[in-house]
Amino acid sequence: MNQFSYVRPASLKAAIDAVAKDNTARFIAGGTNLLDLMKSGVVIPEKLVDINRLPLKDIQLNGNTLHIGALALNSELAAHELVTTHHPLLSQALLAGASQQLRNMATVGGNMMQRTRCTYFYDTTMPCNKRSPNSGCGAIGGINRMHAIFGASESCIAVHPSDMCVALAALDATVLVTGPKGNRRIPFTDFHRLPGNTPQLDNNLAKGELITAVEIPANAYTKNVYYLKVRDRASYAFALVSVAAALDISNNVIRSARLAMGGVAHKPWRLYDAEKALAGKAPTEENFRHAADIALQSAKAYTHNQFKTGLSVNSIQTALLKAASV
Amino acid sequence: MKKQQTGQSMDRVDGRLKVTGGAKYFADHQLPELLYAALVCSSISNGTIKSINTTKALRAPGVQDVISHLNAPPVPGYKNSDPNAKDGLKIFKDNRIYSNGQPVAIVLANTMERAVHAASLVEVQYNQETHYTDMNANMGKAFQNNRMKDYTRGEADAWKKAPVTIDATYSLPLEVHNPMELAGIIAHWDTPDTLVLYAKTQGVKNVQDTIKRLFQIPEQNITVHSQFVGGGFGMALRVWPLEIATIVAAKKVRKPVKLVITRDQMFTLVGYRPNAVQRLSLGATADGKLTGITHEAVAVTSPYEDFTEGIVSMSKFMYACPNVTTRYKLVPLNISTPIWMRGPGEATGAFALESAIDELSYKLNIDPLELRVLNHADTDPEKDLPFSSKYLKEAYQLGAEKIGWSNRKAAPRSMQEDGMLVGYGMSSGTFGAFRGKATVSATLKADGSLILQSAAADIGPGTATAMVQIAADVTGIAPAKIKFMLGESAYPFAPQQGGSSTVSTLGSAVTDACKALQQKLAGLAISHVPAFKNAAPETIIFEDGQLLRAGQSEKISYETILQQQQLPEVNVVATSQSGEERKKYSMYSFSVHFTKVHVHPATGVVRIKHIVSVADAGTIVNAKTARSQMIGGVVGGIGMALTEEAVMDHRFGRFVNNNYADYHVPVNADTPPTDVYFINKKDPYINPMGSKGMGEIALIGFAAAVSNAVYHATGKRVRDLPITPDKVLDEKGYQQWKLENKMST
């Protein structure tokens, strides 16, 4: 690990200034991913700007909107009554992620900012366009069992590893950021990017911008929700595929549905067409299967992740059945 | 008589030290002027080093030296070796690279962080040559090693003529031991020919012997400390090049050097369970009698050593079958050398054999348990000897009862609960019950305490605890007054802790040393204690730490003899080993594993719900540590069955999941309630305690118990470990059966 300096600013403005004015500076919160990246030589910051003392930990209702401070811990958020009551899907997704020890350190903002777990990204002797643009993609012709089936490019087939983000994408959350040019709001589904020709960019944050909060609008997805995570190990493993399913069911009719997947794309992958297909339909196994088939129409698999297409269909259907049967 | 200690669930004598952080592992030691080391490892898989540029590294803060083949002090033991002999990697001898991850330089600095950073600054240029790392693509290079010749009993390949046959191929991936404690060593040359080592090892004497040979210094000049080991599972059964590199570095800079390697280096520097492809062919009569077994195995090894293990051993004697053929070949690849990993080759082989037996049971429509009993080997068909003890049939019955085998419906995919497919599977395991040679020093102090010393290791099973119990029963001294000391090369010889042999070997030596001590005390009593004057030695009885004379009431305690003679202590040293009994009997431990699994019908996720493992391992010395050891082995078996696989990108010859996040050892959530039972019947021949080994059988066969249960649950036979969800589903990831109504809700 490189030698680096460390500052712990007391104000949001000082923190943003520290990073905006220094190309080698990085924010650090829980550090559960950044420290690994630094130890692996993937990220070599010369200055760490510790934001843990900034007042961004609050979890509260503003009117009907749930406001989640960017420094709220994953473990606190998962257990918070406002979350378990109003957005149980988010709680389920959080608890499916990482381990209790990691959730005790990891923040909401940090969770969003975590990098892919693609092995070629972490091994600095291997090609990786995300780590080292124009060096090639190791995964496309290599070991790609864990990789994307949606929205990938010839530059990169990595996936975003978060579970929390899958639920937030499904729940129409908004990201609040503050930067050198002031504040802005980014729809959660527009926060992360697809790889395209610039896989080195994971998201649409500008230099020096800092996530301050995530907001979730009021919704009817308080009961019929399910987060299904299919993984190789019962806990502490990244998803082969995961599905966040939320249904608003009334009189045996699906009024609206929200569906998103993890482990399948460079960003949390919303299944808009499948959601539309479910609206107005009865919550039946056949309708769920149909929606799942629609969702997978644009899938493209690679050498080792062919199984993800069928597994995704089965998983979407399973998650919907589970959500409907609650 | 006092309470018998053997068999009790005595707490570990070092348990408090371990859970309070008081136990010092090798890396916990600090020496004055200590330097920290980091390895620079090859990023190519075959070729030579063209150049090493250390300019930037040497300029980095705190860096003391960078040592490679260009400037390393010579290792004298390398000199005489035959350049063509496959006798191991000679680190820093020349510029040859055999495998990715091979150390090419060692960087020394005044902190670990600085050493690691400087290692990243060393620039190595290579002449790259074509490498070969894919076993399946290199089967044409398979060869036979002389240690593992083809075996035939009766008629070769007789299975082909049988009315009912199974002919299937099973594959096991490369597995890495991955104990929590990372490998490494502290090396300190006290003088130019006196070396002190703090090692992570399964045998201090083996380290001493290897160093003696390589550095050509007298044994007594080499001190090896290894009081505590944070898990070994076999990876610490030899001295690795990383340790030689550290010793060489310490020699060059004349300061103590500590190396702790990184997790990714654990995949390339300290061995692994070799990946293997096995073809298992069975022939049987229609009523289920085996008429032919052919077991063929191919496994990987390095370019510079031929590693063999007992992959095909179990097939030779496990079942009463007149015709058995085994063949075993190695494929040399550009990878490091494998080493025994818990259960070693027998665990690899048992997966194939016990899966095939299960497949045969379905083909014959005979219960898999019944089929095994039907073909039970009452005597050893390979050695043509009686077993010293074998209670396998009892183990089958006990395990079946405890798992509820009678609830199992015979047909595959016929049981469901809670929306899950339910499967029951079973298998058996066996491993040689060994007894080696060991020496124990026993010292009785005038306060009545007993100190036992031997250069044994404890990689976790609780060796000292078991030895205290054995010594307590022989001497009658209370366990609290007995101390067993191990992990020091200065102590009398003990072999490595491996092959499930420690209790047998060391316990026998403890027994003999304690008995010799009693005889010495008897001699003192006969010479000096009036009540025992002129007594015939055989008339002296030892009871509860006292000497008695047959038919007389006088007693004298051990310590009173010493106190009366004003002796501070009495010492004996005894060496113990097996005798003729091993020629008369075949000695094996046996295990039986039963599992109940749930398989999610839509996602293919397998979860083990209940495990019953039964060990026929002779007398159980400590019921508590024995149970822990069985559970530990079972957890290793869960990993083998469901999660563990080191994945390599053969284009680069590099592992792509060389970390704890991506190489999946089972976590608590993968580990269901595990019920362990012991037959606990003494083996009358193997050793004074009647104890057989247990570390290996805890794992051997387990993976088959899971894959057999998965087949029972789903109707899908997975012959390629680990059984990940994608393998349970079809190649497109769908369930191969139609999703049934409400099954998945």
Side-chain angles (χ1 to χ4, degrees):
Chain A
M1 195 186 290
N2 213 35
Q3 295 218 18
F4 56 87
S5 64
Y6 169 85
V7 294
R8 194 162 55 190
S11 75
L12 190 56
K13 182 173 184 315
I16 288 165
D17 281 351
V19 171
K21 291 174 181 168
D22 183 347
N23 271 331
T24 69
R26 297 288 296 255
F27 294 118
I28 184 168
T32 60
N33 187 210
L34 183 59
L35 291 179
D36 285 349
L37 293 164
M38 290 169 68
K39 287 178 185 172
S40 303
V42 176
V43 176
I44 309 175
E46 289 180 19
K47 183 196 279 183
L48 287 185
V49 179
D50 185 339
I51 58 170
N52 281 302
R53 291 198 176 173
L54 302 183
L56 301 172
K57 290 194 166 80
D58 48 322
I59 301 168
Q60 63 192 42
L61 274 181
N62 291 344
N64 288 327
T65 299
L66 181 67
H67 176 97
I68 303 163
L71 288 174
L73 297 177
N74 284 195
S75 51
E76 287 174 355
L77 188 61
H80 201 283
E81 198 185 348
L82 290 174
V83 177
T84 55
T85 307
H86 298 286
H87 305 291
L89 181 65
L90 176 59
S91 180
Q92 287 183 26
L94 281 160
L95 293 174
S99 64
Q100 184 67 41
Q101 293 90 333
L102 285 165
R103 293 193 295 268
N104 283 338
M105 288 299 292
T107 63
V108 167
N111 189 320
M112 293 164 61
M113 294 300 290
Q114 68 178 305
R115 311 300 305 271
T116 183
R117 307 295 158 149
C118 174
T119 187
Y120 299 93
F121 178 67
Y122 279 79
D123 185 340
T124 56
T125 73
M126 305 261 218
C128 172
N129 288 323
K130 181 182 280 295
R131 170 174 36 78
S132 178
N134 301 316
S135 63
C137 173
I140 287 176
I143 306 293
N144 46 42
R145 179 171 176 267
M146 299 298 289
H147 289 73
I149 56 171
F150 292 118
S153 72
E154 287 178 12
S155 296
C156 179
I157 60 171
V159 299
H160 195 261
S162 172
D163 292 295
M164 178 195 82
C165 292
V166 180
L168 289 172
L171 295 171
D172 301 313
T174 300
V175 185
L176 278 60
V177 306
T178 299
K181 294 178 182 169
N183 301 336
R184 63 183 181 121
R185 299 169 63 88
I186 309 171
F188 197 91
T189 48
D190 292 340
F191 181 82
H192 296 100
R193 295 167 58 96
L194 288 178
N197 293 323
T198 53
Q200 67 273 22
L201 302 175
D202 289 353
N203 56 58
N204 288 311
L205 279 186
K207 176 71 186 162
E209 280 190 319
L210 181 66
I211 303 165
T212 56
V214 173
E215 289 184 351
I216 308 177
N219 61 45
Y221 309 116
T222 54
K223 179 168 170 273
N224 294 115
V225 299
Y226 196 76
Y227 188 76
L228 175 69
K229 183 175 184 182
V230 183
R231 45 187 151 178
D232 288 327
R233 175 164 66 182
S235 177
Y236 188 39
F238 295 102
L240 295 168
V241 305
S242 68
V243 181
L247 297 171
D248 176 9
I249 302 174
S250 178
N251 295 325
N252 206 37
V253 171
I254 300 168
R255 288 155 55 128
S256 63
R258 291 291 181 272
L259 275 172
M261 291 192 73
V264 293
H266 199 257
K267 60 188 286 189
W269 192 251
R270 265 289 282 273
L271 309 177
Y272 294 108
D273 293 343
E275 292 173 8
K276 277 183 209 144
L278 288 168
K281 302 276 171 53
T284 64
E285 189 172 335
E286 292 69 30
N287 287 334
F288 292 156
R289 188 74 177 186
H290 179 63
D293 285 336
I294 288 172
L296 267 290
Q297 278 170 5
S298 61
K300 185 198 169 195
Y302 296 84
T303 312
H304 304 116
N305 68 356
Q306 300 283 334
F307 72 94
K308 280 195 179 186
T309 55
L311 177 59
S312 294
V313 171
N314 285 0
S315 298
I316 293 166
Q317 187 185 24
T318 301
L320 287 166
L321 282 165
K322 290 268 192 188
S325 66
V326 171
Chain B
M1 281 287 283
K2 284 185 183 167
K3 183 172 83 172
Q4 167 120 349
Q5 293 301 324
T6 300
Q8 299 298 318
S9 288
M10 195 171 109
D11 289 344
R12 285 169 190 262
V13 295
D14 50 8
R16 187 178 178 83
L17 276 178
K18 284 189 170 179
V19 299
T20 57
K24 272 190 146 185
Y25 295 80
F26 87 88
D28 294 329
H29 292 275
Q30 290 297 332
L31 299 176
E33 294 189 274
L34 182 69
L35 292 174
Y36 295 82
L39 295 172
V40 180
C41 294
S42 171
S43 60
I44 68 159
S45 300
N46 192 21
T48 51
I49 301 166
K50 197 190 298 177
S51 65
I52 301 178
N53 185 343
T54 59
T55 311
K56 284 183 194 163
L58 287 169
R59 238 187 262 142
V63 173
Q64 175 94 19
D65 207 344
V66 179
I67 296 152
S68 67
H69 71 285
L70 297 171
N71 61 351
V75 175
Y78 286 171
K79 267 189 195 160
N80 304 322
S81 60
D82 174 357
N84 296 318
K86 284 189 168 182
D87 59 353
L89 178 69
K90 297 173 188 67
I91 188 155
F92 298 159
K93 184 163 190 282
D94 55 35
N95 67 346
R96 185 79 224 166
I97 298 295
Y98 298 94
S99 67
N100 215 304
Q102 178 184 324
V104 299
I106 186 167
V107 179
L108 307 182
N110 58 359
T111 71
M112 188 191 81
E113 291 77 9
R114 286 173 157 175
V116 169
H117 177 59
S120 75
L121 301 176
V122 174
E123 293 163 345
V124 186
Q125 301 289 320
Y126 301 96
N127 295 304
Q128 199 167 344
E129 297 169 26
T130 308
H131 65 261
Y132 305 92
T133 56
D134 185 351
M135 178 170 66
N136 290 322
N138 289 281
M139 282 296 188
K141 294 180 181 154
F143 69 96
Q144 190 178 60
N145 178 281
N146 283 335
R147 288 192 297 271
M148 291 289 168
K149 294 203 168 114
D150 290 353
Y151 168 84
T152 293
R153 178 170 75 242
E155 182 187 338
D157 299 317
W159 68 274
K160 290 177 180 171
K161 296 180 182 170
V164 183
T165 61
I166 291 290
D167 182 20
T169 299
Y170 303 88
S171 63
L172 185 104
L174 191 151
E175 289 182 3
V176 181
H177 307 67
N178 264 324
M180 285 233 277
E181 183 192 37
L182 298 160
I185 196 164
I186 299 173
H188 175 40
W189 291 87
D190 244 348
T191 74
D193 64 352
T194 317
L195 180 61
V196 178
L197 300 171
Y198 294 86
K200 174 186 175 77
T201 179
Q202 294 176 234
V204 287
K205 284 292 189 184
N206 181 57
V207 175
Q208 192 184 44
D209 190 59
T210 304
I211 302 306
K212 178 180 94 177
R213 184 167 47 77
L214 284 176
F215 290 88
Q216 298 182 355
I217 51 176
E219 184 178 300
Q220 67 268 22
N221 289 16
I222 306 162
T223 306
V224 187
H225 305 286
S226 184
Q227 293 279 321
F228 291 94
V229 178
F233 311 117
M235 53 75 41
L237 280 169
R238 68 180 290 185
V239 177
W240 295 102
L242 70 97
E243 288 142 340
I244 303 303
T246 311
I247 294 167
V248 165
K251 187 161 188 130
K252 180 160 188 287
V253 297
R254 297 180 190 170
K255 284 181 181 172
V257 174
K258 179 195 287 189
L259 172 68
V260 180
I261 67 169
T262 55
R263 181 58 60 185
D264 59 311
Q265 291 168 350
M266 293 292 281
F267 285 67
T268 51
L269 297 182
V270 289
Y272 52 88
R273 189 194 301 281
N275 43 313
V277 172
Q278 300 173 79
R279 182 178 170 195
L280 213 306
S281 315
L282 301 177
T285 60
D287 59 355
K289 290 293 279 184
L290 285 166
T291 57
I293 301 175
T294 295
H295 188 168
E296 298 175 316
V298 183
V300 302
T301 191
S302 69
Y304 46 79
E305 275 169 308
D306 292 352
F307 176 80
T308 56
E309 55 183 352
I311 295 183
V312 296
S313 303
M314 181 172 168
S315 293
K316 296 175 189 172
F317 66 87
M318 189 63 186
Y319 295 105
C321 178
N323 306 301
V324 176
T325 304
T326 68
R327 303 181 180 97
Y328 178 16
K329 287 183 175 174
L330 299 177
V331 175
L333 297 173
N334 290 110
I335 50 175
S336 62
T337 304
I339 194 156
W340 303 283
M341 180 166 160
R342 196 171 188 178
E346 284 78 356
T348 304
F351 167 61
L353 177 64
E354 291 296 287
S355 293
I357 292 285
D358 195 68
E359 297 203 37
L360 182 65
S361 78
Y362 286 94
K363 206 157 184 181
L364 290 164
N365 202 19
I366 295 176
D367 183 285
L369 173 57
E370 196 186 321
L371 180 62
R372 286 175 171 84
V373 173
L374 196 60
N375 289 285
H376 181 268
D378 296 333
T379 58
D380 182 340
E382 180 192 6
K383 297 191 185 117
D384 197 20
L385 287 174
F387 288 107
S388 58
S389 66
K390 183 176 181 181
Y391 299 100
L392 180 61
K393 284 183 182 172
E394 277 184 46
Y396 284 141
Q397 291 311 320
L398 182 61
E401 178 194 319
K402 298 296 182 185
I403 197 82
W405 190 254
S406 57
N407 299 328
R408 174 183 176 274
K409 295 179 192 165
R413 208 160 173 274
S414 61
M415 300 182 72
Q416 300 167 13
E417 68 186 22
D418 303 333
M420 296 287 182
L421 303 171
V422 175
Y424 287 87
M426 57 99 38
S427 70
S428 29
T430 181
F431 193 78
F434 299 109
R435 176 180 171 187
K437 182 176 176 180
T439 304
V440 167
S441 160
T443 306
L444 184 76
K445 301 280 188 184
D447 64 0
S449 64
L450 174 63
I451 311 287
L452 301 164
Q453 292 177 326
S454 186
D458 182 5
I459 56 172
T463 301
T465 311
M467 294 307 126
V468 166
Q469 288 175 275
I470 290 168
D473 279 345
V474 176
T475 61
I477 298 173
K481 296 187 82 172
I482 303 173
K483 187 168 188 184
F484 186 88
M485 299 167 74
L486 48 67
E488 294 289 341
S489 60
Y491 297 160
F493 177 85
Q496 301 210 80
Q497 185 159 61
S500 301
S501 60
T502 296
V503 163
S504 177
T505 301
L506 200 58
S508 301
V510 165
T511 301
D512 288 355
C514 288
K515 285 183 174 167
L517 181 70
Q518 288 173 322
Q519 289 308 315
K520 193 159 184 175
L521 290 166
L524 284 171
I526 290 164
S527 306
H528 302 293
V529 179
F532 290 80
K533 270 275 189 232
N534 302 323
E538 63 273 15
T539 63
I540 295 182
I541 298 164
F542 305 93
E543 198 175 285
D544 298 347
Q546 302 179 108
L547 275 66
L548 286 73
R549 273 181 86 172
Q552 300 190 21
S553 60
E554 288 89 348
K555 295 178 181 178
I556 186 164
S557 72
Y558 300 161
E559 60 261 44
T560 307
I561 297 173
L562 270 66
Q563 287 157 7
Q564 284 181 358
Q565 300 308 311
Q566 295 184 330
L567 292 169
E569 63 184 41
V570 172
N571 172 264
V572 296
V573 176
T575 297
S576 179
Q577 62 185 311
S578 60
E580 292 296 305
E581 70 276 4
R582 294 197 73 87
K583 294 177 186 162
K584 297 179 192 159
Y585 298 97
S586 171
M587 300 188 183
Y588 286 94
S589 294
F590 297 91
S591 61
V592 175
H593 303 287
F594 286 85
T595 68
K596 176 189 176 186
V597 305
H598 276 180
V599 182
H600 191 275
T603 62
V605 170
V606 177
R607 295 284 177 252
I608 307 172
K609 303 307 286 184
H610 187 196
I611 294 167
V612 173
S613 287
V614 186
D616 166 18
T619 303
I620 299 303
V621 174
N622 184 317
K624 186 177 183 177
T625 54
R627 177 175 174 274
S628 296
Q629 195 176 21
M630 283 297 287
I631 290 173
V634 161
V635 172
I638 295 171
M640 180 188 268
L642 296 182
T643 60
E644 291 188 50
E645 175 179 18
V647 180
M648 182 177 276
D649 185 332
H650 294 299
R651 298 172 303 167
F652 303 99
R654 288 176 75 81
F655 290 110
V656 299
N657 62 340
N658 51 4
N659 58 72
Y660 261 168
D662 297 318
Y663 182 93
H664 294 145
V665 296
V667 295
N668 283 327
D670 295 290
T671 308
T674 300
D675 297 329
V676 173
Y677 298 93
F678 302 109
I679 298 296
N680 200 12
K681 287 186 181 170
K682 182 174 178 164
D683 184 303
Y685 305 109
I686 184 165
N687 56 41
M689 299 79 61
S691 296
K692 302 191 283 189
M694 214 184 57
E696 323 296 336
I697 57 165
L699 194 155
I700 295 170
F702 188 82
V706 178
S707 66
N708 295 343
V710 169
Y711 175 77
H712 182 239
T714 65
K716 172 130 186 196
R717 179 67 65 177
V718 180
R719 300 187 183 89
D720 175 23
L721 296 179
I723 306 170
T724 47
D726 46 326
K727 294 178 189 168
V728 179
L729 303 174
D730 72 11
E731 62 186 12
K732 282 288 181 195
Y734 291 100
Q735 79 278 25
Q736 60 170 6
W737 52 87
K738 189 182 173 301
L739 203 70
E740 288 164 19
N741 282 343
K742 309 231 187 299
M743 274 289 293
S744 57
T745 59

